[in-house]
Amino acid sequence: MQDVEGRVAFVTGGCSGIGLGIALAFARAGMQVVATSRRRPHLEESAARFAADGLDVHVMQLDVTDPDAVERAAAHTERRYGRVHVLVNNAGIGIIGPVAQAKLADWDWIIDVNIKGVVHGLQGFLPRIRAHGEGGHIVNTASMGGLLPVSAGLYCLTKAGIIALSETLHIELAPENIGVSAYIPGPVHSNIGSGAAGRPERYADSGYPPPRPPDPSRPPPRLPYMSYEEAGERVLQGVRRNDLFILTHPEFRDGVRERAEALLNAFPAEPLNEERAAAITFLTSHPVYRSYAAKEPPGPPVPLRQPT
Ligand code: NAI
């Protein structure tokens, strides 16, 4: 979607971290944005920031694990703006720790937010985006953990699933002029660390120790992560380019290549069964990958100037 000005976007988790960066980038590009948050303090802080920057962002409290609430939010957005063009399924949580230590509540929480939250977004918004026929775009926030699942297995499971889902959806919706991107960032400054502290009561029976509250006597380490603003600009760029994969951190390129090589090397070293190959061509490749493999990679995003 090259021409984003005036388009309406709905960004889950759009009041904190990466989602806030996306909402800022979209609004600065002239889009009308709805940004949601589960936690009220982020809602209030970001509403004040959007207003101070003179940006057209409407904030809304929303728990993406509640399908009825997501449906109501979609209906509200449509009533308010007439139509919705862009959905960013960005709300997410991180659970870090060995898989063997997880209890069912840990699995339930991360799957409910990181996978079913995306499902609910699609259920609520996709029929509305398809109905107006003006085209649109869906961004699903995954993670490099979905491509290099070397730790935090519960989290990586959800993010790998979101990448796979986005690829299928991209293929399915292309004929309707609806782009779909898997957004796959590396480390970005955000509140994801404290997200685990807001664990709802129904998921309380965790196998992991509660997150340690920050020690006010010790300043947090200054980590050289990407800013959430830059992470948001890269999403805007990916939407404009209609990218299948929106990647942010070239530091992961070698690791992803090694994993892809390990996969290729695991195919049995034997001749193809030509009859079987001919019967399953619809499963064994897709032109979408060739077209993106031939596409010019993105450069750094051009940051948009804030309105004065
Ligand atoms: P964050 O904690 O700053 O933002 C997460 C947002 O999701 C918050 O607005 C929170 O209210 C919302 N959220 C959480 N549970 C929710 C629920 N049940 N219903 C509605 N909203 C809910 O964290 P961050 O890092 O900005 O995370 C955004 C996305 O980016 C997540 O999907 C995360 O997995 C992903 N990501 C983050 C990376 C990082 O280094 N920060 C790297 C790769 C991916």
Side-chain angles (χ1 to χ4, degrees), residues 239-271:
V239 169
R240 286 192 156 128
R241 285 168 44 97
N242 190 23
D243 281 337
L244 171 60
F245 303 115
I246 305 174
L247 269 60
T248 52
H249 289 61
E251 301 80 46
F252 287 86
R253 189 198 309 268
D254 288 347
V256 170
R257 185 189 294 118
E258 282 163 12
R259 180 175 183 254
E261 283 168 0
L263 273 170
L264 292 173
N265 197 44
F267 281 109
E270 61 192 38

Side-chain angles (χ1 to χ4, degrees), residues 29-97:
M31 298 177 80
Q32 302 175 83
V33 182
V34 179
T36 79
S37 175
R38 186 174 64 85
R39 293 188 280 175
R40 188 150 280 283
H42 290 160
L43 204 73
E44 286 159 5
E45 278 165 33
S46 58
R49 168 147 188 204
F50 296 134
D53 287 1
L55 296 171
D56 184 359
V57 183
H58 175 63
V59 298
M60 189 189 281
Q61 192 163 19
L62 176 68
D63 183 341
V64 296
T65 66
D66 178 348
D68 297 335
V70 177
E71 169 58 30
R72 282 195 299 277
H76 172 83
T77 305
E78 197 173 52
R79 264 198 313 279
R80 185 182 170 103
Y81 294 101
R83 48 201 58 187
V84 192
H85 301 94
V86 177
L87 167 66
V88 185
N89 283 311
N90 168 78
I93 53 157
I95 296 182
I96 294 170

Side-chain angles (χ1 to χ4, degrees), residues 12-19 36-39 42 62-65 89-94 109 113-114 141-144 155 159 184-193 195 225:
T12 68
C15 296
S16 169
I18 292 174
T36 79
S37 175
R38 186 174 64 85
R39 293 188 280 175
H42 290 160
L62 176 68
D63 183 341
V64 296
T65 66
N89 283 311
N90 168 78
I93 53 157
W109 188 30
V113 179
N114 290 9
T141 301
S143 164
M144 268 297 161
Y155 181 73
K159 297 304 185 179
I184 311 178
V188 174
H189 286 292
S190 78
N191 295 304
I192 197 162
Y225 291 172

Side-chain angles (χ1 to χ4, degrees), residues 4 18 50 61 74 91 103 115-116 118 123 184 192 194 212 215 217 262 267 297:
V4 297
I18 292 174
F50 296 134
Q61 192 163 19
K103 286 195 178 177
I115 293 189
K116 294 197 76 182
V118 174
Q123 292 280 312
I184 311 178
I192 197 162
S194 66
R212 265 186 297 176
D215 178 352
S217 68
F267 281 109

